[in-house]
Amino acid sequence: SICYIFDTGGTVVASTNRNDTDSFIGKNYKFRQYFQKAIAGEFSKYFALGVTSKTKGYYVCAPVRNNENKIIGAVTVKNNLSDIINIFKLEKNIFLINNEGIIFLSGIPELENRALFPITKEELEKVEKEKQFGDAKIISEPVIQKKIKKGEKIWFKNQEYLFCSQNIN
């Protein structure tokens, strides 16, 4: 849905939305995990709420190198999640959670931005610092009171379920 290029300090210097009212040009996103990884030389992927666009997306970011292989910036492609969001509306008991266990997408919208399992104060602070959920308040009170493993049975909304999970690479 949008592509943009950062300088080494995290400021957007080129963007496909340059002529839009919510243009990313001149905005600084050095706090974003995907930028930090790319500027360190790593390819990165990240689900997040856009701090400028206010839309959820899947971000892919890579370093930009010059002829001497020196990192001179980073390039990001953001894909909006409208198709995935529509699937989640049909399947109520499905969650997309981040590495810390906070619900990013859910078929039950009121559970978004809430911990699925208990999380530490450090995990919560990390997510808030990176603004993965924008300015939304993260609710650390978990939906499920203990961490569970794949294949375990759980009770959720007065029904028994088999917990299944899959990492997204």
Side-chain angles (χ1 to χ4, degrees):
S1 52
I2 190 167
C3 301
Y4 47 105
I5 298 172
F6 297 101
D7 65 15
T8 56
T11 300
V12 176
V13 295
S15 177
T16 56
N17 76 343
R18 66 193 168 281
N19 296 322
D20 298 344
T21 55
D22 62 347
S23 171
F24 293 2
I25 301 288
K27 301 267 195 306
N28 189 286
Y29 300 101
K30 68 181 176 187
F31 56 87
R32 287 292 206 181
Q33 179 192 66
Y34 60 84
F35 169 77
Q36 293 169 8
K37 285 187 173 185
I39 214 68
E42 297 177 49
F43 180 81
S44 64
K45 302 163 281 197
Y46 193 63
F47 284 98
L49 177 70
V51 293
T52 302
S53 68
K54 306 293 186 218
T55 60
K56 291 184 176 185
Y58 180 66
Y59 297 78
V60 178
C61 192
V64 175
R65 299 176 188 271
N66 66 11
N67 291 340
E68 290 83 42
N69 206 31
K70 179 183 175 195
I71 296 173
I72 58 170
V75 62
T76 297
V77 176
K78 177 186 178 184
N79 187 359
N80 76 35
L81 300 178
S82 56
D83 291 342
I84 293 173
I85 289 169
N86 288 334
I87 291 169
F88 276 67
K89 287 177 183 175
L90 298 172
E91 298 292 333
K92 296 295 180 200
N93 297 319
I94 185 171
F95 307 101
L96 178 64
I97 62 173
N98 71 355
N99 289 335
E100 290 73 28
I102 300 169
I103 300 168
F104 182 69
L105 283 177
S106 172
I108 307 169
E110 60 270 15
L111 295 182
E112 292 179 2
N113 307 335
R114 185 168 173 187
L116 182 59
F117 310 113
I119 61 171
T120 66
K121 182 180 175 184
E122 292 77 19
E123 289 170 325
L124 180 61
E125 288 171 353
K126 176 184 179 283
V127 171
E128 288 176 339
K129 180 181 173 191
E130 292 173 359
K131 296 189 178 196
Q132 183 178 13
F133 293 79
D135 293 327
K137 177 167 176 28
I138 305 299
I139 301 168
S140 60
E141 177 62 34
V143 174
I144 299 169
Q145 299 306 313
K146 68 177 187 98
K147 290 200 178 191
I148 52 179
K149 295 181 181 116
K150 192 175 185 175
E152 242 183 282
K153 290 182 180 178
I154 61 166
W155 280 91
F156 180 69
K157 296 207 174 240
N158 298 319
Q159 285 190 301
E160 187 178 50
Y161 292 93
L162 182 65
F163 180 74
C164 300
S165 66
Q166 178 65 47
N167 287 335
I168 299 174
N169 289 325

